Amino acid sequence: MPEPRLVEIAALAGCSWVMVDCEHGAVTTADVGRVLVGAPAGFPVLVRVPAAEEVHVKQALDAGAVGIVCPMAENAAAVRELVTWAKYPPFGTRSVGVGRAHGYGLSFAPYLDRANETTSIVVQIESAAGLAALDDILAVEGLGGVLIGPYDLSASLGHVGVPSAPPVLAAVSEVMSRCNAAGVPVGQFFASGTAYTDSPLPDSLDFIAVGLDTALLAQTIHGHVEHIAASACADGPVPGATVLNIAPAPRG
């Protein structure tokens, strides 16, 4: 959600990084700068861009993201282009602007000095085409990492929404193995912490992304409501108690 306090909460709760999702989430690229303001100093935030387009990359980085995550990487040429957009000359063609990343000009030169070294470009392997092109993608100079998208991968392999299907698990294992062999950091999205700990090869991962803000909120609220309902069934309703309705009262 486009709320800077969510980034701050994630940091306070012990997360080591956060991904702001502009692909499937409610955050637009126009919201990114405001959302990133919630990040404590030094806390890494990556932005998943909605598509592999230069404008999305430079806006996310100028807003202060330490890197970008690009969905649906399917060929090395596109990944090479992403790296070029994200790096300043002479390594790339990133346009030089002044934004939050540059301290609004107050840390302009220091940021330019370190940006090429510290900016991470992560791509998602989440299709059969991405699997087929993986070795070429891993050979792209400047690639920072690979994030496996098991849900889109399940759809691409004919098992829509079932990341636990054996062919999908085999494909995920193959991506991990090939990334490990190439020395490229590899991560995976998991719907929950339990999904991660129950996964067959957690030690093969260098980083993980767990849960969605909206889903975590929905699950927590639902859990409390279910707990109250179950207690009422077992012991009878608590006198005067009802599930809180926060809708405004009608006027008039």
Side-chain angles (χ1 to χ4, degrees):
M1 292 183 284
E3 169 53 64
R5 284 173 291 188
L6 289 175
V7 177
E8 183 181 35
I9 289 168
L12 292 172
C15 295
S16 55
W17 72 292
V18 159
M19 182 174 72
V20 174
D21 186 9
C22 294
E23 184 197 14
H24 291 299
V27 181
T28 68
T29 51
D31 296 321
V32 167
R34 182 169 61 85
V35 172
L36 266 59
V37 168
F43 183 74
V45 179
L46 278 75
V47 172
R48 178 159 71 170
V49 294
E53 296 179 8
E54 183 177 13
V55 64
H56 298 316
V57 173
K58 64 184 178 182
Q59 285 183 349
L61 296 179
D62 284 352
V66 300
I68 58 107
V69 177
C70 185
M72 208 61 74
E74 295 186 330
N75 64 79
V79 174
R80 199 171 294 113
E81 199 166 38
L82 282 170
V83 173
T84 298
W85 294 335
K87 304 289 187 177
Y88 288 120
F91 193 78
T93 60
R94 179 179 171 186
S95 176
V96 181
V98 179
R100 181 175 173 273
H102 315 78
Y104 306 103
L106 299 177
S107 54
F108 181 73
Y111 177 77
L112 294 184
D113 287 342
R114 68 176 185 272
N116 279 356
E117 182 180 347
T118 58
T119 299
S120 184
I121 297 86
V122 176
V123 299
Q124 289 198 261
I125 298 299
E126 46 187 352
S127 69
L131 280 172
L134 182 58
D135 289 338
D136 290 338
I137 289 172
L138 295 176
V140 172
E141 185 179 2
L143 177 64
V146 165
L147 178 64
I148 301 168
Y151 285 88
D152 276 337
L153 186 57
S154 72
S156 180
L157 297 178
H159 301 274
V160 181
V162 189
S164 59
V168 182
L169 292 177
V172 167
S173 177
E174 181 182 351
V175 174
M176 290 182 193
S177 177
R178 288 157 70 180
C179 288
N180 293 160
V184 175
V186 59
Q188 182 178 341
F189 170 78
F190 293 94
S192 67
T194 302
Y196 164 67
T197 56
D198 289 347
S199 64
L201 296 169
D203 294 338
S204 297
L205 294 167
D206 300 293
F207 63 98
I208 56 173
V210 178
L212 307 170
D213 52 2
T214 49
L216 291 170
L217 180 61
Q219 291 160 6
T220 300
I221 293 172
H222 182 67
H224 285 301
V225 172
E226 289 288 289
H227 175 75
I228 291 167
S231 176
C233 288
D235 305 324
V238 179
T242 185
V243 177
L244 177 64
N245 181 346
I246 58 174
R251 297 186 180 187

